[in-house]
Every structure is written in C-alpha cells, then in structure tokens.
Amino acid sequence: MHPLTLFLSISLPLTLAQLPSSPRFDLTKPSYDLFRHKTLHDSTVQQSFTFDNTNARLFVSQRRNGADSSLGNLCITQLDFSGNQVGYMHLTGFGHGVSFGAQAVGTSTYLWTEVDANSNGYGTRLARFKFTSGTSLSASSPTLQKFKPIPAATEFTCSIDPVNNRLIVRYHLSGSGKHMAVYTLAAATAGDFSSPLVNFKIPTITTLGGAFQGYAAHGRHLYLLWGDSYDVTGGGVNSQVATVDMNTGLLVQGPTLTKAGESLVFREAEGMAVYRTAAGQTRLFLGFASGVAGDRRSNLFFKNATIG
Ligand SMILES: *[C@@H]1O[C@H](CO)[C@@H](O)[C@H](O)[C@H]1NC(C)=O
C-alpha cells in the first residue's frame, strides 16, 4: 500500500473539511429591522423562528398560553414578512421551541421540530410534518415522521440552512454537553443520518452570561445567540452573537455584543435564522421578544454584511 493511501484512510474521516468555503456574516456590522411589536397567535414570548425560503414563509414558535413549559406544548404562528398573522398550529408534547426548521415541498411547508418532550420540556427526538394551519398535532400523532439522528443523544433541536439545503442538528450527549451534526436535507428527509457532513462538539465560549437563545447556519458557519431580558439583567444589554467554523469546530468571531432593538421593552433574545431574498441578499436574522407579560411581541432584525 502506498504510504499516502494509508495516511488518507486513517485521517480522512476525522480531519477533512467537509463543507465548502462560504462567506460569513460580519457580526460587528449593524442590524436592520424587518419588523417590531408584532403579535403572535398566543401571547407568550417567542422562542425562535424559521423561514421556508422557497415559498417565502415565516414561522415563529412560542409556548402555548397557560401551558407549563415542562409540557412542551408549542404554538407555531405563520407570519408574512410585514409581521401579519397568516395562520397557526398547536403542538402538544413537542418541546421548548429553541430552534426549528421549515422545508419546502412544492407549495407546502414541512416543519422540522423537536418532539417527545422529556420531564424538563425538551424534545428527545426530531419530527417532520406538514404545516397545516388551524390544526393541532400531538406528539403521538401517526402523521409525524420521527428521527433520532444520534442514537446516544438525549435531547435534539434543529435548524435548516435554506441556502444550502442542510439540516443542522444540535444534540445533547450525557456527560459531554452540546454537539452539532449537519446532514443534507435530502438524506435527513429519507431518514438517513449515517453520514453527517460534519459532527463536532460546540466549543466553550465565554459570554457575558446570557442564556443560550438560538442558532442558525449558512454554509460552513454556525451562528449562536445568547441573552437575557431586561427583567433579568436589570436593564443592561447582554445579548451576544458568535460564529463557529463547522469544519474546525472553532470560534472565529465574537462573542460580539448586539444592541439590535435596544429600545424594546423587556427585550429578550429569542431565535436566529437565515434567509436569502429573491434579489439574492443573504440575511442572518436575530429575534427578540418584547412587551409585557400577557402581551408579548415578536421583533426581527437582520445582518447582511459579509466577510470573505
Ligand atoms: C443590508 O440591508 C440594508 C437594508 O435593506 C441595506 O441598506 C444595505 O445596503 C444592505 N447591505 C448589504 C451589504 O447588503
């Protein structure tokens, strides 16, 4: 055997960068408003949001009114890009809603969410189902496709890179913390999780201490969001964003303070997503909840300046 062949056969699975290079968002550049102060179907804080990029639809998750968060009962509101309500679904026993994805199938949207909430209200599998406005689904519904991409993992959430059609899975390994694995959306839809494009432990990142609030991916980069409401910080801004290179698993920018929506009441960082406009501008969206208890509002901002 040629020595190089031996070298490659040993080192390829561990070291080869699997995701092609791509520009990354510059987190130090300003954020712009998509909308502020929009109501969702239920009145709790938003948890996250996602775009069906093909059909230009926006979906926002929140805990259902009156439901303890340990139940994992979620509401998904569909909004137009001005923030007007278009529809909603109720999900029973799914999870916390910290991240989810939307996949176009023709003119339909299929959602990818966590499901089978554990006693803390976090999903223990992923589910895929058609968004059908005005309907409710329980975690035991036979219409759900369910997946456990990493058999040893105990909790899952996901996100979709809508530009590159990849499923980004964040999972918890007991004793080893949070990891990310990336799959082609085609393989994931077929239930094939045998060949992740990358699979790595999220690096330890020293932040100002805000709660973890969401993630999104575009190309080879993963974006992470942290932050607490003004109720928790006593009025200070501690929302931060950071970029991780998914080929190396290393931090490449941040954590950077973001003051997007600084003047909002309450202002809790809640969710991230990527969207590419019809004109071809790719945007990294940051979400924030605002307003008072019983009347929380949705606010979305985006960054679009890139490096590389
Ligand atoms: C980002 O979007 C804003 C608002 O639409 C626009 O003014 C700006 O030119 C865009 N910047 C880039 C780099 O695309």
Side-chain angles (χ1 to χ4, degrees):
M1 191 186 290
H2 188 282
L4 184 60
T5 311
L6 179 63
F7 171 77
L8 285 176
S9 67
I10 292 169
S11 61
L12 270 181
L14 294 174
T15 61
L16 186 69
Q18 297 287 323
L19 300 172
S21 288
S22 56
R24 63 182 165 87
F25 292 102
D26 187 347
L27 305 180
T28 65
K29 293 294 190 291
S31 301
Y32 300 91
D33 284 39
L34 184 68
F35 57 65
R36 298 185 184 217
H37 308 307
K38 299 304 179 184
T39 58
L40 301 173
H41 181 270
D42 283 21
S43 62
T44 61
V45 292
Q46 74 178 54
Q47 294 293 340
S48 64
F49 59 99
T50 188
F51 294 95
D52 169 347
N53 212 127
T54 305
N55 292 307
R57 295 182 184 133
L58 166 62
F59 302 90
V60 184
S61 70
Q62 64 187 156
R63 175 178 57 77
R64 278 198 346 238
N65 287 350
D68 189 273
S69 63
S70 67
L71 296 174
N73 294 350
L74 297 175
C75 177
I76 308 289
T77 304
Q78 184 187 348
L79 301 177
D80 67 22
F81 290 2
S82 302
N84 302 304
Q85 292 184 38
V86 177
Y88 77 97
M89 269 186 94
H90 276 164
L91 308 175
T92 302
F94 277 58
H96 191 79
V98 74
S99 189
F100 68 115
Q103 175 186 17
V105 178
T107 57
S108 299
T109 300
Y110 280 71
L111 298 183
W112 286 80
T113 68
E114 62 193 298
V115 72
D116 293 340
N118 60 23
S119 58
N120 295 319
Y122 293 96
T124 58
R125 287 171 196 275
L126 296 180
R128 178 179 180 271
F129 57 91
K130 185 175 173 176
F131 179 84
T132 310
S133 184
T135 65
S136 298
L137 275 180
S138 83
S140 60
S141 166
T143 64
L144 298 177
Q145 283 176 275
K146 288 189 187 177
F147 307 105
K148 202 166 184 203
I150 306 284
T154 53
E155 292 173 357
F156 295 90
T157 60
C158 66
S159 176
I160 285 176
D161 172 349
V163 177
N164 298 284
N165 292 310
R166 295 181 187 137
L167 185 74
I168 319 302
V169 177
R170 181 172 181 260
Y171 63 93
H172 183 81
L173 276 185
S174 191
S176 157
K178 302 295 184 194
H179 296 243
M180 288 279 177
V182 178
Y183 307 86
T184 68
L185 199 45
T189 302
D192 179 1
F193 294 92
S194 61
S195 305
L197 302 172
V198 293
N199 187 2
F200 60 95
K201 183 168 159 57
I202 300 174
T204 302
I205 298 174
T206 305
T207 66
L208 294 172
F212 181 71
Q213 299 287 8
Y215 59 95
H218 174 241
R220 70 185 276 180
H221 299 108
L222 172 71
Y223 301 91
L224 303 164
L225 174 70
W226 299 265
D228 298 319
S229 70
Y230 288 145
D231 285 12
V232 170
T233 64
V237 172
N238 73 352
S239 49
Q240 292 182 287
V241 283
T243 310
V244 169
D245 181 339
M246 296 196 286
N247 283 336
T248 62
L250 298 176
L251 181 68
V252 290
Q253 189 178 27
T256 303
L257 197 71
T258 174
K259 294 186 173 179
E262 188 178 11
S263 63
L264 294 173
V265 170
F266 183 72
R267 189 186 179 274
E268 184 174 11
E270 297 283 8
M272 283 187 124
V274 167
Y275 183 76
R276 179 172 279 179
T277 67
Q281 185 192 105
T282 309
R283 297 174 167 181
L284 176 65
F285 278 87
L286 316 175
F288 291 86
S290 66
V292 297
D295 187 19
R296 299 295 192 200
R297 302 299 179 95
S298 174
N299 307 268
L300 297 193
F301 304 89
F302 65 88
K303 292 180 183 293
N304 54 9
T306 56
I307 302 170

